[in-house]
Amino acid sequence: MSKSPDRLVILTGAGISAESGLPTFRGADGLWEGHRVEDVASPVAFARDPELVHRFYNLRRAALRTVEPNAAHLALARLEAAWRGSFLLVTQNVDDLHDRAGSRRLLHMHGELIRARCKACRHGWEWRDDLSPDSICPSCGKSGRVRPDIVWFGEEPLHLGEIFDALSRASLFIAIGTSGHVYPAAGFVDVARGAGARAIEINLADTAASAAFDERRTGPATDLVPALVEELLAAQSVG
Ligand code: NAD
Ligand code: ZN
C-alpha cells in the first residue's frame, strides 16, 4: 500500500460472523435457518403471524449466548483502537459480536437482536430475553405492540445520513462477508469510489458487487481480516 489511507469506512455482513457459528442468510437453499425471509423478516409477516416472528427472533437472540466474537471481529476492534484517522464500522448484522469484540465507532444499520421497540410509542430499549405478543412496553404500558428492533425488508435502514456522509469522505472502503444483494448497502462501494476511495472486498467467493472493487481477497474472514489489519497498521506506522 503506497500511502496510508486515513479515512476508513468498513462494511460487514453475515459472513464475518459465520465462523463464530451464526449461519449466513443466503445459504445454498436460499433460506434463513429454514425460513423464507419474507415469512419472518417483514412487517407483513409480523402482522400476519406475530408468534412465528417472535419465535424466530427469540431463537436468534438465544443463539447469541452460545457464540463468541472471532478473530475477524477482534482485529477490527484492534484496528479502530490504533487507527489515527477517522474510522467508521457499519454492520448489516443484527448480532452483537462487534460490540462484544470492543468496536465503538459502530453503526448497526439493520437494527439489533438485543433491542426491542414499541410500535405504539416508538420507545426502544435493550432487551436480551424472549419477546411475545404479550410483552409490555416499559414506556407506554401497552401490550401487543412490542417488536424486535430489526430493520425488516421494505423498511428503511438506520443511520443512513451518517453513513453516506462518511462514505462521501472515505479514502479506503472495505466490505467483509457481505453478498452485495441487499441495498442500499450493496451500493456503498460505488459511493465511496465516487468520492475517490480505494475499495477492498473480503469474501469466501466472488459476489454480485465484486466487479466494483479495486481489490478482492478471497478466503475466510478469520484469516484475511487480521492479515489486512496488520498491513494497514504497518502502513500507518511508516506513513
Ligand atoms: P448474506 O448472508 O447475504 O451473505 C453472506 C456473505 O458472506 C456471502 O457473500 C458469503 O460468501 C460470505 N461468507 C460466508 N462465510 C464467510 C467467511 N467465513 N468469511 C468471509 N466471507 C464469508 O449476508 P448479508 O450480505 O450480510 O445480508 C444478510 C442480511 O440478513 C443482513 O441484512 C442481516 O441483517 C441479516 N442476517 C444477519 C445475521 C447476523 O447478524 N449474524 C445472520 C444472517 C442474516
Ligand atoms: Zn410504548
Side-chain angles (χ1 to χ4, degrees), residues 16 33 60 64 75 87 100 108 113 117 128 134 143 168 175 192 202 212 217 226 228:
I16 199 170
E33 303 258 355
R60 307 282 77 73
L64 293 184
F87 181 100
R100 281 155 59 191
H108 279 273
L113 281 170
R117 176 151 56 86
R128 292 169 187 275
D134 300 326
S143 67
S168 68
I202 291 180
R217 300 187 178 194
L228 177 59

Side-chain angles (χ1 to χ4, degrees), residues 13-15 19 25-26 32 92-95 110 177-179 203-204 221:
E19 292 166 84
F25 165 39
R26 287 184 181 74
W32 188 0
Q92 296 168 91
N93 295 344
V94 295
D95 66 52
H110 290 164
T178 177
S179 62
N203 201 294
L204 272 184

Side-chain angles (χ1 to χ4, degrees), residues 12-19 22-27 32-33 37 60 64 70 73 91-97 108-111 113 150-151 153 176-182 185 201-208 217 219-225:
T12 63
I16 199 170
S17 297
E19 292 166 84
L22 296 177
T24 60
F25 165 39
R26 287 184 181 74
W32 188 0
E33 303 258 355
V37 179
R60 307 282 77 73
L64 293 184
N70 65 44
H73 300 105
T91 190
Q92 296 168 91
N93 295 344
V94 295
D95 66 52
D96 61 350
L97 294 177
H108 279 273
M109 64 180 288
H110 290 164
L113 281 170
I150 302 282
V151 176
F153 283 86
I176 303 165
T178 177
S179 62
H181 282 292
V182 181
E201 179 179 61
I202 291 180
N203 201 294
L204 272 184
D206 279 354
T207 71
R217 300 187 178 194
T222 55
D223 286 346
L224 298 187
V225 177

Side-chain angles (χ1 to χ4, degrees), residues 118 121 137 140:
C118 174
C121 73
C137 169
C140 71

Side-chain angles (χ1 to χ4, degrees), residues 208-222:
S210 287
F213 287 82
D214 298 290
E215 182 183 339
R216 276 126 75 174
R217 300 187 178 194
T218 306
T222 55

